Amino acid sequence: MNVIVCVKQIPDPALPGELDPDHTLKRDVKLILDESDMYGVEMALQLVDAAGGGEVTLVSMAPNSEKGGLRTALAMGAAKAVLVSDGSLAGSDSLGTARVLARAVERAGGADLVLTATESTDGYTGTVPGQVAELLGWPSLTFAKKVDVADGKVTIQRQTEAGYDVVEAPLPAVVSVTAGVVEPRYPSFKGIMAAKNKPIDECTPSDLGLSGDQVGWSGARQEIVSVAAAPEREAGEKIEDDGTAHERVVAFLEELKLI
Ligand SMILES: Cc1cc2nc3c(=O)[nH]c(=O)nc-3n(C[C@H](O)[C@H](O)[C@H](O)COP(=O)(O)OP(=O)(O)OC[C@H]3O[C@@H](n4cnc5c(N)ncnc54)[C@H](O)[C@@H]3O)c2cc1C
């Protein structure tokens, strides 16, 4: 069984983000593997193990030939990767990104299953998985909190507010997994050393047959007209417990229609 995992390499969310003059997130900084995608990598490794063999391949679109995040996922156990990197990708909106990832999946030779996270940690539009599936002409199953593959079909438990739905589709398919679907393994020292020599096929959009007006700013269907600082978060309400604090907490949760 061959599984491809889309992995985004993002500026470290623990550090304050910066914007470039064109209002996009500054990305010519050290990029790391998006934690959301560690679940996809781990799920892929477990599915390949359960199938008794196969391969996990990574695909990533990132600036400046960035490979740091890919090496982390290769150290977890993925076999190889396709990296699409080129200055013309700057300003890509989610459709531009999906076009690149769909072509990268084809360049990797296709797969039985493509896994992604439900949303990235920096852009978090949550729209790329469905768009990749549409461009590949494959079914997309989203918000999977459990994934099973058998008899040429994938079955997921799709997380909902009320619990979950069971959703099934024939392979190949694109599945987005929720955080916590599995416990990602830590790369071992042996895994980190082995990752240094694992192949990364680096290519450009034109290598994938994509023209300039399909990616980057010229391919984007959105324009950032202005950027404003997010309003300061208001201080919460402090409740001194004189024995009735629970009533105030219950009233507060009722106001928010949480109970
Ligand atoms: C603050 C901010 C706001 C943005 N707002 C918009 C917007 O409103 N509309 C819009 O079209 N674009 C927007 N973008 C740009 C968008 O983030 C990029 O196009 C991005 O490459 C894809 O979108 P996403 O991160 O939202 O993907 P999501 O759909 O949130 O990502 C879901 C999953 O797809 C995979 N994936 C996504 N990007 C990559 C990648 N580069 N390489 C490998 N796998 C990937 C990962 O598995 C990821 O977890 C925004 C970016 C930022 C930083």
Side-chain angles (χ1 to χ4, degrees), residues 33-101:
L33 176 64
D34 188 336
E35 193 181 329
S36 309
D37 288 322
M38 289 184 178
Y39 300 102
V41 176
E42 179 61 34
M43 172 58 77
L45 293 166
Q46 293 187 13
L47 287 171
V48 165
D49 279 356
E55 210 171 43
V56 175
T57 303
L58 312 167
V59 297
S60 188
M61 176 183 109
N64 312 321
S65 301
E66 178 68 56
K67 297 180 179 68
L70 283 175
R71 293 287 177 206
T72 307
L74 291 167
M76 288 174 71
K80 58 186 176 30
V82 174
L83 170 64
V84 189
S85 191
D86 189 75
S88 65
L89 292 168
S92 292
D93 63 4
S94 59
L95 177 56
T97 303
R99 286 187 179 123
V100 167
L101 296 176

Side-chain angles (χ1 to χ4, degrees), residues 6 8 27 34 36-37 92-95 97-98 101 116-134 140-144 158 174-178 222:
C6 297
K8 196 173 183 184
R27 293 184 188 278
D34 188 336
S36 309
D37 288 322
S92 292
D93 63 4
S94 59
L95 177 56
T97 303
L101 296 176
T116 75
T118 52
E119 60 182 27
S120 72
T121 302
D122 60 349
Y124 55 87
T125 62
T127 61
V128 168
Q131 294 183 88
V132 168
E134 185 63 24
S140 74
L141 300 86
T142 58
F143 291 87
R158 183 175 193 278
V174 175
V175 172
S176 73
V177 297
T178 57
Q222 56 157 24

